[in-house]
Amino acid sequence: MTEKRPLILVSNDDGISAKGVHELVRVLSGIGDVVCVCPESPQSGMSMALTVNSPLRVKKLEDYHGAGMYKVSGTPVDCIKMAVDNLLERKPDIVVSGINHGSNAAINVVYSGTMGAAFEGCAYGIPSVGLSLTSHNEDADFSPCYPWIIKIVKLVLEKGLPYGICLNVNFPAHYEQFEEMRVVRSCKGRWNDRYEEYLDPAKRKFYWLAGRFENEEPESEDTDEWCLNHGIISVVPVMLDPTFPHPEQFSYLNSSPDNQ
Amino acid sequence: MTEKRPLILVSNDDGISAKGVHELVRVLSGIGDVVCVCPESPQSGMSMALTVNSPLRVKKLEDYHGAGMYKVSGTPVDCIKMAVDNLLERKPDIVVSGINHGSNAAINVVYSGTMGAAFEGCAYGIPSVGLSLTSHNEDADFSPCYPWIIKIVKLVLEKGLPYGICLNVNFPAHYEQFEEMRVVRSCKGRWNDRYEEYLDPAKRKFYWLAGRFENEEPESEDTDEWCLNHGIISVVPVMLDPTFPHPEQFSYLNSSPDNQ
């Protein structure tokens, strides 16, 4: 009896042309049946954005290493919905999003389209993982990640993930190999944003977002940023549901005819 | 000595032309100095999407009830960043986003652009509130919400909110007045999505997202959906940081040279 191969849904936010997703498809096609559904254009920073006020188009492309390849004229969340609701014959066993070109550690997780796809998989009750390499290089070398990706995907397929929790995995760039992977928490910090000002040829102003991440706890060893700064792969379990678990702390907002 | 008026930053996701945001600006101009910075086009379902790969334009419009009005060619998150980083002379005392035309209860909170703006305010450490009325009617009657909005905003200005927590407030539509407001949790449930299929004039397929929310716990009285179905205003405190607080549950993913 042959073991049933898992059905692996792959997506990303850098778009169907990115190197990261092609490498991911190739690596995962060794351990399962892969279907890849990606945005047709780059969708970095799209978070869990969803297309509700306009139509979507879907195009099937040529298979890649045996995997079905599709592009969708929408966001990473749209890709997961379109795949699960419309393209796949059965619910996938796992959603793997990435490999993102760039870090999704710390607060980046909330803006990340890569993690948007993982969170959406999570909303369907599918174990979901987002993978990122901390390099924006279009031709980055993802190969040190491969054995670890296989390890993570196999472990998650075997053990599952609790409903509503997915994994945000970041690989530090510029290492030839990794020796360690740690389950940690998101580092506290924020973007010090500013907008660069420009003039277009007609002398009208436009702006472009710039900024620098400010780590508020560089010494905390149990954070993703610390791991990434020390050559260690970080795994942060994250929750889809943002509900604060202690609503009673805000009971001063309760108001009824009796206490008005 | 006159009391200093609070600086109130207003945004939304329905865009600068929506009735909900105009009503909100008018109501809040009675209790503070209001600056309103909204997307120039509707941005429903944009979550915390952020414009990183293209430029932004900003246009100052005519004041409305004494409030400065601006439109930005981006998302709700872009509007908050542009306001705080570029347009306002000081950090606002509160961010109020809405009033959204449509519910942001239950899982809608993660897709909501209205809440995207509130979460972004939260990331700046500004007490932030998202307001929604459960009606998509463009000309909905928001007036029953006004006394409650003033009450909420005054309470939040007085008491502040802990860093990283903002409020998701939903008002049930079609009530002439409200008698009760409750601090509750997000209802568990999911969208049963499907894509409607169409053919364009050139006979090419396109898709449009449709679906219906499925409440998984209609009898639970401590949820936002229950409140909204019983004429009660719901307030759900929500967290910006999605980190799962018990990473040790996933320690099987730890891997070091010692345990490989």
Side-chain angles (χ1 to χ4, degrees), chain A residues 41-89:
Chain A
S41 62
Q43 299 281 313
S44 289
M46 284 304 272
S47 186
M48 288 195 75
L50 174 70
T51 303
V52 284
N53 289 326
S54 54
L56 291 176
R57 292 191 183 269
V58 181
K59 189 168 180 192
K60 187 164 183 4
L61 308 170
E62 228 174 279
D63 286 5
Y64 183 74
H65 286 270
M69 302 289 283
Y70 298 84
K71 65 177 184 180
V72 172
S73 62
T75 68
V77 163
D78 293 334
C79 290
I80 301 300
K81 284 191 184 292
M82 183 61 76
V84 177
D85 295 339
N86 233 35
L87 299 175
L88 297 176
E89 286 179 13

Side-chain angles (χ1 to χ4, degrees), chain B residues 1-241:
Chain B
M1 199 179 98
T2 51
E3 213 182 328
K4 201 177 146 197
R5 279 163 68 88
L7 178 57
I8 302 174
L9 172 58
V10 167
S11 192
N12 79 342
D13 75 352
D14 292 316
I16 190 72
S17 307
K19 178 178 177 183
V21 77
H22 281 86
E23 295 292 280
L24 181 59
V25 165
R26 193 171 56 73
V27 167
L28 294 180
S29 65
I31 59 170
D33 294 333
V34 177
V35 176
C36 174
V37 184
C38 288
E40 67 182 19
S41 61
Q43 299 281 313
S44 289
M46 284 303 273
S47 188
M48 288 194 75
L50 174 70
T51 303
V52 283
N53 288 326
S54 54
L56 291 176
R57 293 191 182 268
V58 181
K59 189 167 180 194
K60 186 162 181 8
L61 308 171
E62 228 173 281
D63 285 5
Y64 183 74
H65 286 271
M69 303 288 285
Y70 297 84
K71 64 177 185 181
V72 173
S73 63
T75 67
V77 163
D78 293 333
C79 290
I80 301 300
K81 284 191 184 293
M82 184 61 76
V84 177
D85 295 339
N86 235 32
L87 299 175
L88 297 176
E89 287 178 14
R90 68 177 182 91
K91 198 167 160 177
D93 297 296
I94 189 169
V95 168
V96 187
S97 179
I99 307 168
N100 190 59
H101 294 245
S103 170
N104 281 317
I107 194 175
N108 298 316
V109 65
V110 302
Y111 303 112
S112 164
T114 302
M115 287 307 300
F119 279 121
E120 184 60 28
C122 201
Y124 280 101
I126 304 164
S128 301
V129 180
L131 305 169
S132 307
L133 178 72
T134 65
S135 163
H136 283 99
N137 187 339
E138 274 183 26
D139 194 37
D141 177 15
F142 294 97
S143 62
C145 310
Y146 303 158
W148 295 87
I149 290 172
I150 290 171
K151 178 181 179 129
I152 295 164
V153 169
K154 282 186 168 174
L155 273 169
V156 169
L157 282 167
E158 179 195 328
K159 294 180 183 278
L161 286 172
Y163 179 79
I165 297 180
C166 56
L167 302 179
N168 181 20
V169 180
N170 282 269
F171 297 91
H174 314 306
Y175 284 84
E176 284 181 14
Q177 59 176 47
F178 302 115
E179 299 204 330
E180 193 170 351
M181 174 161 80
R182 279 196 205 167
V183 182
V184 287
R185 62 180 175 83
S186 293
C187 185
K188 294 190 201 311
R190 54 180 303 278
W191 280 92
N192 266 326
D193 297 313
R194 63 197 158 72
Y195 283 92
E196 303 268 0
E197 224 174 285
Y198 301 80
L199 287 179
D200 71 14
K203 306 293 176 207
R204 290 170 306 203
K205 248 190 230 178
F206 65 91
Y207 298 89
W208 212 299
L209 183 63
R212 205 171 52 80
F213 178 71
E214 195 178 274
N215 186 332
E216 287 172 4
E217 45 172 356
E219 306 304 323
S220 301
E221 298 193 9
D222 61 339
T223 69
D224 49 7
E225 288 290 339
W226 193 92
C227 287
L228 296 169
N229 290 329
H230 291 79
I232 298 167
I233 304 161
S234 66
V235 179
V236 177
V238 286
M239 304 177 293
L240 172 65
D241 181 354

